[in-house]
Amino acid sequence: MGFNSFLFLGFFALVLLCNNALRRHHAWQNRMLLAASYAFYATWDWRFAFLLLLTTSIDYTIARLLGREDRPARRKWLLGSSIAANLGILGFFKYFGFFTDSLAALLCHLGLQVSPLALHIVLPVGISFYTFQTLSYTVDVYRGKLEPRSHFLDFALYLSFFPQLVAGPIERASTLLPQIERPRIVTRAAIDAGVYLILWGYFKKLVIADNLSAIVEPGFSAPDSVKGFAVVLLLFGFSVQIYCDFSGYTDIARGVAKLLGFELMLNFKLPYFALNPQDFWNRWHISLSSWLRDYLYIPLGGNRHGQIATYRNLIATMVLGGLWHGAAWHFVAWGLFHGMLLAVHRGYRSLRGPSPDPGAFGATWRMAAMFTCTMLGWTLFRVHTLGDAITLMRGLIEPSHLPMLKPALDIAFFTLPLLIVQVAQHWSRDLLVVQRLPFWGRAPITAFLGLWLLVFAERETSQFIYFQF
Amino acid sequence: MSQTPRSHLPIEIEKQRSILDMALGLSLAAVLFVGAEVGLRRYLTSHPSSVSAWLFDGKWNLLMSMDKGADWIILGDSSASFGIDRELFLAGTGESAANLATVAEALTVNDAWMLETYIDKFGPPKHVLLIRSARQWGLPVNEILATSVPLDYGYWERLDPALPFDTHAKWLYLVNRYAPFYKAPRTIRQLLEPPWQGLPDAAQIQPGGFLKFDGRPSSQLFDSVKQLAGQLESSGFSVSTPSLSGLAALARLAEKHGFHIYIAMAPVCRLVYLHPRFRQEHQRLAAQLTRLVAHSPYLHLLSRDPMLFTVTEMQNADHLLAPAATRYTAALVERLEYEIEIWE
């Protein structure tokens, strides 16, 4: 049951009604949300719900044991067990095939013929997201930043809360658990913002991302047929598509959560307005990048052991971040690319010192440069194989024989509403800038979004890109 | 990783608004939304989203706006709309006629629904002429057209043959009726997307529902011949189940009210008829229709063989140009006179 299905709309309407009916019975409200979340998850495959329950039980138990244990060695062992169990499950479902295939290929390269073990493992949707979420809870309990929770159902809801279960944001226990544990009040401002976020999220996904997908998909399916400026169009189209697809999902998730009385973290802060690689990762998939920073980069040593170690940590963190997206070498390459960008930027900054205010022109130039780097990075992310990425880059310097006016106009047409809204958001520094308008300014925008959804929403909608991770 | 000052990053500022302000915003948005829907509905009336939609809507609108009945009711697909010369038909039969033929995909189901609606309004006609192209008897129900009939909710169960609508079809009916923005998204996209070409003005339907095409043969002819060849490759001609139930409903109406229905084969391009497979399939269909009409004394197949025309006489594989329509009408009127003498 994706967000972009009529079934979800019916499901959410029902949940909203029940949530409202149970507003004076907080415990029952949580139980209802838990049941709804498991039902939502089971619509993909009921077996996944048991896997989620297993993960929940493991970390609930280990955190409780951690709460009672003072001996450091024993605490380390408990944390290690949690990490091993979670990464073991994730590794089995997500990376088993990748590692056996890669090993078989390596052995074959060395002259040893082995056939890779094929188990046809189905990847449980959202497993990467909820595994990181549950790991952050156990690690925070281990670090003493968080008290272990005694109420199993509350903890189960923290891991399974349906708006963010399958594609994030990867919430921290310290922010989401208190919201679960306390009675919630849905304010008028939250309803207003929630409805707008849902509408804008659907617009980004169904109107912009799905239409751009139809334009760029043929290009990525046959990369050797795309040359010259067509490659630029292709990469630009995909850059907008993936942003609208993922941030559209997040907006819907956050809007839905707001209507239920929850506040989920911001996952995107106008990433294509980033001035440099570091700024980009402060704006793109923030819940993942901050998770990687807090639970990987800093434990690896962060920037505390000199320049070389910092670069190594940056690159290692980003490579693992790339691998988190999927079990394929092109994701590793994408992570490596961003790790190197971060390292180069850090090195440049350490040589030049803190940069002065670049001014409007300088900022625009830096944004364009960073956006170009991001587009190049998306090549590695989107292709099926690294060979396809090389083909596309080679094609960039060859003349194009394809007619490009129509796709260029189409891409511009679908990107324009996003650009207008984002420029306003950037200038105002307010992501809800549209909500600041008086009613006579908001109403045409609402009507426009509704009408465009009716006309341009692809009837055969595609799944959200990040559901595969 | 992220240690630069983040003051430049945007945040989310929720605004506490009064209920009045929220209500005004929503109401104005709703007014604009509905206004755009109404505006588009009007625009699409004069600028049809497709020839099929224009013909289908146009003929139903004609039926709903007729203030008196006619002796002849012509039903069928667009070959009947373009194939009958109005003046010649009226003069030849000496009677009044209303051409309510729509499009192929509407099937005989729609013919039966239109005829029943007509009878409810004016009583039974004296005769009915049904013209359908051979290749289109086998089509399945077109959900968009079946749900576009401008009658009150539930017509698909009230009229004969009943066509059970699933939830999706019922949703489509409501959308067709009240949300034109959703109805024809591809067409509306043409309007809104660059290079912003408007829709062509609707051609005029002549009084009584007749159509006349004075133009020259176009590339459409070759496209439709190619399409036909493709159809022959994949399947033959036969009467589909919905077409069969439509024909049975027409027979029931004729038997109940005592009028005769004459079924004619649509004109065929000689070039197409030369194709042995086409000829074979056409004959197979004609044999099937002969067997079907034998079940009712009120159904009559005028001829098993189609009337043939050269490529220069046709607009496409089914539609005649005006001069050829005159020839087709003359032949049809002559045949009808003969049949009426026998049966009536």
Side-chain angles (χ1 to χ4, degrees), chain B residues 4-328:
Chain B
T4 46
R6 295 186 204 158
S7 55
H8 67 293
L9 292 177
I11 52 169
E12 227 174 54
I13 306 168
E14 282 183 5
K15 191 177 174 191
Q16 192 72 31
R17 227 188 295 281
S18 68
I19 291 177
L20 177 69
D21 189 76
M22 285 169 77
L24 280 172
L26 276 178
S27 308
L28 183 57
V31 167
L32 291 170
F33 187 87
V34 172
E37 290 281 0
V38 171
L40 185 73
R41 200 179 166 83
R42 288 181 71 117
Y43 180 79
L44 286 179
T45 310
S46 54
H47 299 77
S49 56
S50 69
V51 174
S52 284
W54 162 67
L55 207 49
F56 187 86
D57 293 346
K59 292 301 183 81
W60 267 103
N61 289 340
L62 174 71
L63 171 59
M64 302 311 280
S65 62
M66 279 169 70
D67 50 11
K68 60 176 184 183
D71 299 321
W72 279 93
I73 294 297
I74 301 168
L75 298 169
D77 58 29
S78 53
S79 64
S81 284
F82 287 101
I84 310 275
D85 181 307
R86 178 174 177 262
E87 283 75 24
L88 195 61
F89 190 84
L90 299 182
T93 57
E95 293 178 302
S96 60
N99 191 334
L100 301 179
T102 56
V103 291
E105 299 96 315
L107 310 186
T108 49
V109 173
N110 185 68
D111 295 333
W113 287 355
M114 286 188 103
L115 188 58
E116 190 176 334
T117 308
Y118 173 87
I119 291 170
D120 287 347
K121 214 171 160 186
F122 303 109
K126 281 169 78 175
H127 336 266
V128 172
L129 173 61
L130 174 69
I131 305 174
R132 284 200 162 266
S133 147
R135 65 193 175 112
Q136 285 150 354
W137 277 92
L139 293 174
V141 171
N142 178 313
E143 208 177 29
I144 297 281
L145 287 179
T147 53
S148 298
V149 172
L151 295 176
D152 291 341
Y153 187 88
Y155 64 82
W156 51 90
E157 279 164 1
R158 279 197 304 274
L159 297 174
D160 185 21
L163 198 65
F165 273 14
D166 58 13
T167 313
H168 181 252
K170 286 174 187 163
W171 162 252
L172 270 183
Y173 165 78
L174 295 173
V175 159
N176 286 339
R177 216 144 190 210
Y178 302 110
F181 262 100
Y182 194 82
K183 179 186 175 184
R186 301 217 175 276
T187 310
I188 300 157
R189 284 179 74 140
Q190 281 174 29
L191 282 173
L192 300 173
E193 273 187 81
W196 298 288
Q197 290 167 330
L199 297 173
D201 289 340
Q204 290 298 312
I205 296 178
Q206 290 181 301
F210 294 85
L211 284 164
K212 198 172 181 181
F213 191 80
D214 286 319
R216 290 184 304 174
S218 68
S219 60
Q220 271 189 30
L221 175 68
F222 300 101
D223 292 342
S224 57
V225 169
K226 257 193 272 175
Q227 192 193 351
L228 186 55
Q231 190 185 343
L232 281 170
E233 289 288 318
S234 57
S235 63
F237 301 156
S238 62
V239 182
S240 66
T241 309
S243 291
L244 203 59
S245 55
L247 193 62
L250 285 169
R252 283 193 288 275
L253 281 174
E255 284 162 22
K256 184 177 171 188
H257 298 284
F259 59 84
H260 291 261
I261 299 177
Y262 301 96
I263 302 172
M265 292 293 191
V268 169
C269 179
R270 192 184 301 276
L271 181 73
V272 175
Y273 203 69
L274 286 174
H275 196 298
R277 178 85 200 275
F278 180 91
R279 227 171 24 247
Q280 185 191 346
E281 287 298 325
H282 200 286
Q283 282 162 3
R284 199 160 68 86
L285 177 87
Q288 193 185 358
L289 285 175
T290 308
R291 283 196 301 278
L292 288 171
V293 300
H295 289 107
S296 170
Y298 292 90
L299 293 183
H300 313 287
L301 184 63
L302 293 183
S303 165
R304 288 169 65 125
D305 297 318
M307 199 167 163
L308 303 180
F309 294 86
T310 63
V311 285
T312 55
E313 291 178 300
M314 303 201 71
Q315 189 192 152
N316 62 32
D318 302 311
H319 298 173
L320 292 176
L321 297 175
T326 310
R327 195 153 70 81
Y328 181 67

Side-chain angles (χ1 to χ4, degrees), chain A residues 188-190 192 211 254 258 263 266 269-270 278-279 282-283 289 293 297 303 314 349 406 409-410 413-414 429-432 435-437 439-440 442-444 447 450-452 454-456 458-459, chain B residues 1-19 21-26 28-30 32-33 36-37 171 179 181-186 188-189 192-196:
Chain A
R188 235 180 10 245
D192 206 16
N211 279 291
R254 296 186 67 247
K258 272 179 193 283
E263 190 62 46
L266 274 170
K269 291 183 178 175
L270 310 178
Q278 191 177 7
D279 193 23
N282 282 332
R283 294 164 177 267
S289 61
R293 180 195 61 206
Y297 175 70
N303 58 2
L314 280 172
R349 217 184 49 187
K406 174 72 178 143
L409 277 174
D410 283 346
F413 177 75
F414 287 113
R429 303 251 186 278
D430 180 5
L431 295 171
L432 291 177
Q435 294 298 91
R436 276 201 219 167
L437 296 169
F439 78 88
W440 48 265
R442 269 186 347 264
L451 290 168
W452 248 235
L454 283 187
V455 177
F456 291 103
E458 286 290 327
R459 303 294 154 94
Chain B
M1 291 194 314
S2 48
Q3 286 152 27
T4 46
R6 295 186 204 158
S7 55
H8 67 293
L9 292 177
I11 52 169
E12 227 174 54
I13 306 168
E14 282 183 5
K15 191 177 174 191
Q16 192 72 31
R17 227 188 295 281
S18 68
I19 291 177
D21 189 76
M22 285 169 77
L24 280 172
L26 276 178
L28 183 57
L32 291 170
F33 187 87
E37 290 281 0
W171 162 252
F181 262 100
Y182 194 82
K183 179 186 175 184
R186 301 217 175 276
I188 300 157
R189 284 179 74 140
L192 300 173
E193 273 187 81
W196 298 288

